[in-house]
Amino acid sequence: MTEAPIQSPTREGGGKRRRPRGGPVGRPAHGGADAASNGGRLIAGTKPVRLAPADLLGLGLLGIRTRKVRAALSALGISIGIATMIVVTGIPASSQKALMEELAALGTNALQAVPTPGADPPVLLPEESVDMVSRIAPVTVTSAVANTHAAVHRSDRVGSSDYSGLTVLATKRNLLEAVNGSVRSGQFLNAGTEKLPTAVLGSAAASRLGFSELNPDDPAPQIYINKRWFTVIGILDPVTLAADIDRSVMVGWEAAGNQLRFDGHPTVIYVKAREDAIEDVRAVLAATINPQLPGVVQVSRPSDALAAKRATENTFSALFLGLAGVALLVGGIGVANTMFISVLERRREIGLRRALGANRGQIRGQFLTESVALSTLGGVAGTLLGILAVVGYAGYQGWPPVIPSQAVVGGCAGAVLVGMAAGVYPSIRASRLTPTEALAAT
């Protein structure tokens, strides 16, 4: 009997049994080297491996931990760029602040209102006009003085014409705030002394009356006003915004009414307002002071220093933007160059990871994370370095130190964005390397 030939195992439809595509019979298919050699495409039956954010961060920091000197130099590059941005914005801002304070001392936000001179009969401003002006929304300070037409003497034994050039003014106690004045010695009028027979002398008036400084250990000197004794409690420094104050003797508003028969009508109203609204305040000031006859009120125009101040602010703003952009560009080029060199140096590492199953997205994520981490470290270090430099230089120059908040926030945020932008091309280049090309690199 002839034996039937032995046949190889077949499937139900006949033919040879085929080995599964993923590997030997009985071995599950994995996405290892096969997946990598297949251009990053997963073989049927496998699942993609996803990296947790912590794992991705660890991979991104791997290059920084293993190459500390190179990482430090790379971070130094971006830190110098960010520090430069802080310095080139902070130092001009500090200089601008000092300049703005000097210009503000010239009265860029100040106005004066007086009755129209030469009117017949003389024009009187309403008694309530000071309170009415203070109700204008952009107005920050309102004060006033009034000529009492009183005569002042050093004592009761001198002639009536010896001090004819001095004026006795009824004064609101917030006058110094309105005219940027300061006290040389003693004190100015306050809520307690403005009701008493006390006086404050302007710088020129004090010189003419024979006073230079008030010694707190000596008895307070007195002057003679309209046959009444007034105690001198303060002497002022020269007032730039109101030269008439220098030649005046100032007494309290209520004391002038009680002692000198002052009628309560102000002769000069001093106003401070927000600089951005100074023209609008000037437009309504006369009608606010005297609603019935606004034409009899003369209002000064804003100081010419205001135009100079606004021009300076616009110039500095453009300068800040230009310098900050250049500094960030320099830092970004440094990070991009560092990451590009890193890809070239680590081609073997990239090839090994690709051979072990890492896909292109994971390679891109690794190098992009490293780029952002380097830029962030450099940005924080550069921000601190820039702040210290600005504070030190401003202190040396005697300027008020100014650290623009937008420069600090923009420095850190800009470092992150620059790191992302600088790492995009190197990370894509790294992900496109095949395991064969990367491992063959010398």
Side-chain angles (χ1 to χ4, degrees):
M1 181 176 64
T2 304
E3 295 181 0
I6 299 176
Q7 297 180 356
S8 60
T10 58
R11 294 187 179 183
E12 296 179 357
K16 295 183 179 180
R17 183 184 297 274
R18 295 182 180 178
R19 182 174 296 178
R21 294 179 59 190
V25 177
R27 179 178 298 178
H30 295 283
D34 294 330
S37 62
N38 200 25
R41 297 187 297 274
L42 292 172
I43 299 174
T46 62
K47 295 182 179 180
V49 178
R50 296 185 181 277
L51 288 177
D55 296 331
L56 183 60
L57 180 61
L59 284 173
L61 298 178
L62 179 63
I64 299 177
R65 293 196 305 267
T66 56
R67 296 173 175 83
K68 295 180 181 179
V69 175
R70 184 180 63 82
L73 293 176
S74 302
L76 179 63
I78 192 68
S79 66
I80 291 176
I82 299 302
T84 303
M85 186 186 71
I86 300 294
V87 169
V88 300
T89 56
I91 289 179
S94 301
S95 174
Q96 181 193 28
K97 178 71 172 178
L99 177 61
M100 292 303 101
E101 289 180 353
E102 293 179 5
L103 291 177
L106 301 178
T108 56
N109 63 338
L111 296 171
Q112 294 183 18
V114 298
T116 300
D120 189 22
V123 176
L124 297 178
L125 299 181
E127 295 182 35
E128 65 277 6
S129 58
V130 177
D131 294 332
M132 295 167 64
V133 170
S134 64
R135 296 190 182 99
I136 302 175
V139 170
T140 57
V141 180
T142 305
S143 191
V145 296
N147 191 346
T148 62
H149 303 286
V152 58
H153 305 281
R154 179 67 177 82
S155 71
D156 57 349
R157 298 182 181 275
V158 297
S160 59
S161 60
D162 290 347
Y163 305 99
S164 57
L166 302 182
T167 305
V168 179
L169 298 178
T171 307
K172 296 287 186 179
R173 63 175 184 264
N174 65 340
L175 176 66
L176 294 187
E177 185 180 2
V179 298
N180 295 339
S182 60
V183 178
R184 182 197 305 168
S185 64
Q187 62 178 335
F188 196 68
L189 300 167
N190 54 42
T193 57
E194 71 170 352
K195 302 176 183 178
L196 303 176
T198 56
V200 176
L201 308 180
S203 59
S207 178
R208 291 193 59 184
L209 290 170
F211 301 105
S212 57
E213 299 286 340
L214 297 181
N215 191 342
D217 297 330
D218 296 337
Q222 291 186 318
I223 55 178
Y224 203 56
I225 303 177
N226 271 19
K227 299 181 180 182
R228 294 176 181 271
W229 290 102
F230 280 72
T231 301
V232 177
I233 62 172
I235 298 175
L236 301 183
D237 289 317
V239 180
T240 304
L241 296 184
D244 293 342
I245 300 296
D246 296 339
R247 301 185 297 272
S248 301
V249 176
M250 288 149 280
V251 300
W253 200 270
E254 293 189 30
N258 298 331
Q259 306 287 334
L260 305 177
R261 298 181 181 179
F262 166 55
D263 59 7
H265 293 279
T267 52
V268 182
I269 298 177
Y270 300 97
V271 178
K272 274 188 173 182
R274 297 199 318 267
E275 286 187 1
D276 59 342
I278 193 71
E279 290 86 356
D280 297 332
V281 172
R282 183 178 185 270
V284 301
L285 191 57
T288 303
I289 293 173
N290 194 335
Q292 296 180 345
L293 296 171
V296 302
V297 180
Q298 181 174 316
V299 180
S300 65
R301 66 184 182 87
S303 170
D304 291 335
L306 178 60
K309 185 175 181 181
R310 288 175 176 172
T312 302
E313 289 175 343
N314 294 334
T315 302
F316 271 102
S317 297
L319 176 65
F320 293 166
L321 292 176
L323 294 177
V326 171
L328 280 177
L329 178 62
V330 171
I333 293 174
V335 172
N337 183 57
T338 299
M339 294 308 302
F340 186 78
I341 295 175
S342 178
V343 170
L344 295 179
E345 290 179 348
R346 298 163 63 185
R347 293 178 70 179
R348 286 184 175 274
E349 174 191 335
I350 296 169
L352 183 59
R353 292 203 59 228
R354 291 296 309 278
L356 293 177
N359 57 40
R360 291 182 176 181
Q362 293 165 354
I363 297 296
R364 285 194 299 267
Q366 173 186 349
F367 282 88
L368 191 58
T369 301
E370 180 177 341
S371 175
V372 172
L374 275 176
S375 297
T376 302
L377 292 175
V380 172
T383 299
L384 295 177
L385 181 63
I387 290 175
L388 292 177
V390 170
V391 172
Y393 187 81
Y396 175 76
Q397 294 290 340
W399 300 336
V402 177
I403 309 296
S405 58
Q406 62 269 26
V408 175
V409 176
C412 295
V416 175
L417 295 176
V418 165
M420 294 177 63
V424 167
Y425 175 72
S427 63
I428 294 176
R429 180 183 176 90
S431 67
R432 288 179 177 176
L433 291 174
T434 64
T436 304
E437 293 172 339
L439 291 172
T442 57

